[in-house]
């Protein structure tokens, strides 16, 4: 990718736009936002093509990981903005009902991120790559340079631990 010139940006865009946008869409849930993220990621990758290290994975994997990071940043930023808006919302009856639903969604999302943060990195990283990055077990294994069976075990045990962290305590 370091050799990508101005004339080759179109080829890069055509080859990777849809997969990059799909990764972002799985995380943000909005096709319009995912398309913006894909454009940002491809432009950033093209402008800083010297940052790509082919020994760490393919261009496709590199771009999908960049998209996953950018999409997660967008979700976090959007959640923070939503929390601020909820705190500042007027106390009218209709607004209170809408705010309560949004607050519950934000709380649930925060609980998941908090539970993920409690996991050791060796369990958390494969889960984030697979579920938020849209990677297959095999892609995660290649990216982390681990055997596929190890990745599957770490995801399985990580999901069990997440389940325990998210169980209501009595």
């Amino acid at each position: 990718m370091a050799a990508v010139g101005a004339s080759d940006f179109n080829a890069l865009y055509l080859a990777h736009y849809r997969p990059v946008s799909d990764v972002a869409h799985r995380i943000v849930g909005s096709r319009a936002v995912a398309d913006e993220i894909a454009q940002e990621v491809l432009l950033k990758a093209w402008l800083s093509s010297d940052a790509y290290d082919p020994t760490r994975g393919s261009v496709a994997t590199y771009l999908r990981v960049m998209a996953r990071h950018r999409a997660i940043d967008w979700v976090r930023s959007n959640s923070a903005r939503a929390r601020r808006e909820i705190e500042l919302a007027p106390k009218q009856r209709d607004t209170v009902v809408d705010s309560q639903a949004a607050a519950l969604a934000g709380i649930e999302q925060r609980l998941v991120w908090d539970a993920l943060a409690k996991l050791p990195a060796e369990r958390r990283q494969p889960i984030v790559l697979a579920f938020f990055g849209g990677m297959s077990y095999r892609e995660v294994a290649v990216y982390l340079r681990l055997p596929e069976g190890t990745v599957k075990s770490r995801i399985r045990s990580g999901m069990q631990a997440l389940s325990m962290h998210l169980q209501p305590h009595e």
Side-chain angles (χ1 to χ4, degrees):
M1 195 164 92
V4 173
S7 63
D8 295 330
F9 177 75
N10 193 40
L12 176 74
Y13 187 89
L14 291 173
H16 298 285
Y17 179 79
R18 182 52 54 198
V20 169
S21 178
D22 288 346
V23 166
H25 183 249
R26 282 187 215 107
I27 296 169
V28 301
S30 164
R31 180 53 67 190
V33 173
D35 289 345
E36 286 181 29
I37 289 171
Q39 290 174 11
E40 287 177 30
V41 164
L42 291 168
L43 183 60
K44 182 178 179 181
W46 177 64
L47 291 173
S48 60
S49 60
D50 55 333
Y52 168 66
D53 179 4
T55 63
R56 297 197 63 204
S58 68
V59 171
T61 301
Y62 173 70
L63 293 171
R64 284 195 310 262
V65 169
M66 285 179 64
R68 179 184 64 82
H69 285 290
R70 179 64 189 97
I72 290 171
D73 288 346
W74 183 90
V75 168
R76 288 178 180 161
S77 173
N78 201 43
S79 296
R81 184 174 47 253
R83 282 192 300 273
R84 285 190 304 272
E85 288 173 2
I86 289 168
E87 291 170 3
L88 299 174
K91 298 295 180 185
Q92 298 171 350
R93 179 67 185 141
D94 293 345
T95 305
V96 169
V97 172
D98 291 343
S99 296
Q100 288 172 343
L104 286 175
I107 290 168
E108 289 172 353
Q109 184 180 29
R110 188 71 205 152
L111 288 172
V112 170
W113 282 108
D114 288 346
L116 272 169
K118 292 177 184 175
L119 293 179
E122 70 179 21
R123 288 183 180 172
R124 181 179 56 247
Q125 191 175 22
I127 290 172
V128 170
L129 290 171
F131 291 93
F132 295 105
M135 291 183 175
S136 68
Y137 288 116
R138 181 167 286 139
E139 290 171 326
V140 172
V142 168
Y143 182 77
L144 295 177
R145 296 183 179 146
L146 293 170
E148 190 173 337
T150 300
V151 169
K152 287 181 181 181
S153 295
R154 288 182 181 179
I155 290 175
R156 188 178 317 110
S157 63
M159 293 300 287
Q160 289 170 342
L162 272 178
S163 176
M164 296 301 291
H165 287 301
L166 294 171
Q167 296 278 332
H169 300 288
E170 299 192 22

